[in-house]
Amino acid sequence: MTQTIAFIGLGNMGGGMAANLIKNGYAVRAFDLSEDALAKAQAHGAIRASSAADAATGADAVVTMLPAGKHVESVYAGEVYGAANPGALFLDCSTIDVATARRVIDAATDRGFDMVDAPVSGGIAAANGGTLTFMVGGTDAAFAKAKPILSAMGKAVIHAGGAGNGQAAKICNNMLLGATMVATCETFAMAKKLGLDPQTFYDISSVSSGQSWSMTSYCPVPGVGPQSPSDNGYQGGFAVGLMLKDLKLATEAAALVGASVPMGNAAEALYQLLANRGEAGRDFSLMIEMLEGK
């Protein structure tokens, strides 16, 4: 029997994720506040719902992909809990703060539902291609139920531990990514000022101890390394505004638990400066232009 999944939140990431569920044989009841997003989902074979509650009604599982913790908490408390079938599984794939993720999962558990937090890594291309990585927090039983659904949208589904640990893994990973990209950008900028050709520096560092994903998979210098947003005017990819959101979540979480994150704090400050320049919508590897003084 075909499983029916409610998918709430069909933005740049959610739209591709919902389409991949449909490709993998799930029936998807979709809802978003955007008419354009709903129309695209319907074109991919989704059943249009009139509200989040309508989407959740009769669904075997509910997947949410929403902008922030306040939206996640509001949608579940205000619409999903009351509409979902007994025994329905909830999967929140949004990137939100750890405290809210744990609070929402606790509330779902109190109502008899299994729930996981399952934020993603991989960006829009991976969402469309079904190659996302999911970092999952929740009980062993909830993870076992969620894994087949997440696997239909991604290439890696990793259990990070209890409720909220998926969010913890995501923000730690993205704080590392943000700081590493800043370091990659500043070293390319310095190498250029020292007279090193960017391709030559790439050829050396990419096979030396300075190698990182930011360099060898997502080089911020146009024409160097594999194809990346830098080769497309820093369009597409992972937006500066989204990186800044994740860095803020990370440094706020660090402050709550007393973790020392000087590099994370520095990366947040630099991405805030970049966003303040009106660049929140362009790819986060654009950092190199700011560091070059452009």
Side-chain angles (χ1 to χ4, degrees), residues 7 9-11 14-19 22 28-32 34-49:
F7 204 109
L10 302 161
M17 292 164 66
I22 294 165
V28 173
R29 292 176 57 83
F31 177 71
D32 193 280
S34 164
E35 176 60 32
D36 287 345
L38 268 175
K40 287 178 183 177
Q42 192 171 21
H44 283 113
I47 302 161
R48 178 190 290 255

Side-chain angles (χ1 to χ4, degrees), residues 210-227:
Q211 187 274 334
S212 70
W213 184 91
S214 294
M215 173 176 286
T216 56
S217 295
Y218 211 90
C219 188
V221 180
V224 177
Q227 185 81 14

Side-chain angles (χ1 to χ4, degrees), residues 240-258:
V240 167
L242 293 176
M243 173 54 78
L244 181 58
K245 170 195 168 183
D246 289 357
L247 287 167
K248 287 182 180 296
L249 288 172
T251 56
E252 288 166 5
L256 287 173
V257 297

